[in-house]
């Protein structure tokens, strides 16, 4: 189904409207790419919307009183959440897990730092870090220290009177970049 696809100078594109029911309850519109099989493995087709020529693809109600449900893996290369003037465009979301290791014993007012290779991280990216177990009275900080490198620091604050020992665990580093 094609409507007005042309590259001619001054040409006007076409519209296609598909309506699935009207009235109090509306109706369902289902696009199904079909399912095939090959050597016992199921393959499905693709549903493609607006890839080559669409400037905008709208999904859902603009009044925000409906719901859009997406199942399966959803990939977005750049996205914006919110309509405010200062809603940033996110174009990077990276996640790296370290190998499991044990942080050395941390005495009050001491800290332990280490670097994590995060391909694609850049200075100015927002960095978050978490640990696979409770960190008790300790706290974590992280920042992009150079291209592809995040510096993680485990702190034992001065108000803590006990030396703290974390169990062996994994640190998860998440980096977000904005356009």
């Amino acid at each position: 189904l094609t409507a007005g696809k042309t590259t001619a100078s001054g040409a006007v594109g076409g519209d296609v409207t598909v309506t699935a029911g009207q009235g109090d309850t509306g109706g369902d519109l289902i696009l199904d790419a079909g399912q095939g099989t090959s050597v016992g493995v199921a393959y499905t087709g693709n549903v493609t919307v607006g890839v080559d020529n669409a400037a905008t693809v709208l999904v859902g109600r603009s009044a925000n009183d409906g719901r859009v449900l997406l199942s399966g893996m959803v990939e977005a290369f750049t996205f914006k959440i919110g309509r405010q003037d200062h809603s940033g465009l996110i174009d990077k979301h990276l996640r790296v897990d370290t190998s499991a290791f044990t942080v050395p014993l941390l005495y009050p007012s001491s800290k332990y730092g280490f670097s994590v290779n995060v391909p694609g991280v850049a200075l100015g990216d927002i960095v978050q870090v978490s640990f696979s177990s409770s960190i008790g009275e300790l706290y974590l900080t992280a920042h992009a220290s150079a291209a592809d490198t995040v510096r993680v620091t485990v702190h034992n604050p001065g108000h803590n009177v006990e030396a703290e020992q974390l169990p062996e665990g994994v640190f998860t580093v998440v980096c977000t970049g904005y356009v």
Side-chain angles (χ1 to χ4, degrees):
L1 177 63
T2 302
K5 182 176 180 181
T6 179
T7 58
S9 178
V12 178
D15 296 333
V16 174
T17 300
V18 178
T19 302
Q22 293 180 342
D24 291 342
T25 60
D28 295 332
L29 172 62
I30 298 171
L31 300 175
D32 191 342
Q35 180 175 349
T37 58
S38 175
V39 193
V41 178
Y43 290 96
T44 57
N46 296 319
V47 175
T48 304
V49 178
V51 173
D52 294 327
N53 301 304
T56 302
V57 176
L58 300 175
V59 178
R61 295 174 49 89
S62 61
N64 287 333
D65 60 354
R67 180 175 85 151
V68 176
L69 176 64
L70 303 172
S71 299
M73 184 179 72
V74 177
E75 291 185 17
F77 299 105
T78 303
F79 67 96
K80 176 181 178 180
I81 298 174
R83 293 188 180 130
Q84 298 77 12
D85 290 340
H86 299 290
S87 297
L89 293 175
I90 299 172
D91 69 346
K92 182 188 331 179
H93 190 81
L94 309 170
R95 176 190 164 155
V96 171
D97 294 331
T98 67
S99 299
F101 72 97
T102 303
V103 170
L105 182 69
L106 290 171
Y107 290 95
S109 298
S110 65
K111 60 187 177 180
Y112 173 76
F114 58 96
S115 293
V116 179
N117 181 38
V118 182
V121 74
L123 294 173
D125 285 352
I126 296 171
V127 180
Q128 299 171 313
V129 62
S130 64
F131 186 63
S132 58
S133 295
S134 171
I135 61 171
E137 295 294 319
L138 303 176
Y139 68 91
L140 306 173
T141 59
H143 67 280
S145 58
D148 301 330
T149 305
V150 167
R151 185 75 180 167
V152 174
T153 305
V154 183
H155 304 262
N156 187 347
H159 68 271
N160 189 358
V161 296
E162 298 288 328
E164 294 280 347
Q165 179 68 64
L166 285 176
E168 179 179 75
V170 173
F171 289 87
T172 298
V173 176
V174 176
C175 305
T176 306
Y178 287 82
V179 177

